Amino acid sequence: GYVTQTDAVVLGDKNLNQILETSDVADFVQGLLLPQDYANAHNGITPDSRGDINGDGVVDGRDIGGFVGLLLD
């Protein structure tokens, strides 16, 4: 099938609006520090679904530089 805009996962889009923007920063930080709170606030979506920027399978401090790089790109 086709990938629609609603199906696409935008890496770093932590507020789930299909756009990577500065308003994602607060949710990125929440996903890093309080992953269960992030999931509770986002209908069960875990922080790693869009926050594992370096692709190592873990959302942690090693993803911060990549996230900032995506925002500045």
Side-chain angles (χ1 to χ4, degrees):
Y2 294 97
V3 175
T4 64
Q5 185 67 13
T6 57
D7 293 334
V9 172
V10 177
L11 190 61
D13 172 29
K14 300 299 286 176
N15 64 5
L16 312 178
N17 69 350
Q18 299 304 101
I19 302 167
L20 177 61
E21 56 198 343
T22 56
S23 63
D24 293 301
V25 172
D27 288 317
F28 182 81
V29 172
Q30 183 184 39
L32 279 172
L33 301 178
L34 303 165
Q36 188 58 51
D37 288 354
Y38 176 89
N40 291 340
H42 295 88
N43 298 318
I45 295 174
T46 60
D48 57 326
S49 66
R50 296 164 189 252
D52 181 19
I53 308 300
N54 66 2
D56 66 356
V58 179
V59 177
D60 58 19
R62 293 174 288 192
D63 295 299
I64 295 171
F67 179 72
V68 171
L70 288 172
L71 283 173
L72 296 176
D73 208 9

